[in-house]
Amino acid sequence: MRSFWSFLRNERRFIPAFLSVLSALLATVILLPLRASLELAIVVLVYMLPVGFSTALGGFLSGVVAALASFLLLNYFFVPPYGTLLVHQPQHILLLVGFLVLTTSVGQLVG
């Protein structure tokens, strides 16, 4: 049977990844009521903050997890049609792919 301390030692690498998902969710909760009045470029910039902070505090893995979570949340809640992961406009596809590439690059540079 594993002791509590060995469990924490082994699970320590997953806690920053979990916190990075929480930070992306927090950004969503803050931005969602303002969705009608914000442009998509502003939302993208705000979603880059959790990625940068997660990478700086938790390392590369945490940054990649934050980038993926932010990418999915951005697509689901802020790219029309809302509530799906479908994208109908080519410029939104380019925006989402660029966001994922940029946040992953930032994560690698900061990490």
Side-chain angles (χ1 to χ4, degrees):
M1 186 169 163
R2 296 187 334 177
S3 71
F4 177 73
W5 297 113
S6 67
F7 173 78
L8 280 181
R9 205 173 319 119
N10 292 335
E11 302 299 320
R12 191 176 308 185
R13 63 180 173 235
F14 297 108
I15 292 172
F18 176 73
L19 292 176
S20 65
V21 172
L22 282 180
S23 66
L25 285 172
L26 179 64
T28 304
V29 167
I30 292 170
L31 291 173
L32 200 54
L34 305 170
R35 177 169 64 184
S37 63
L38 291 175
E39 290 189 28
L40 196 54
I42 300 298
V43 175
V44 167
L45 288 175
V46 171
Y47 269 115
M48 290 188 73
L49 291 173
V51 176
F53 288 136
S54 297
T55 305
L57 297 176
F60 179 69
L61 175 66
S62 179
V64 169
V65 169
L68 289 174
S70 296
F71 171 80
L72 291 172
L73 290 168
L74 174 67
N75 189 4
Y76 191 81
F77 288 108
F78 295 99
V79 175
Y82 303 124
T84 66
L85 294 177
L86 298 175
V87 181
H88 291 295
Q89 295 183 1
Q91 66 263 25
H92 290 155
I93 293 172
L94 184 61
L95 176 94
L96 288 169
V97 169
F99 174 78
L100 190 60
V101 168
L102 184 64
T103 54
T104 306
S105 301
V106 166
Q108 188 167 5
L109 289 173
V110 174

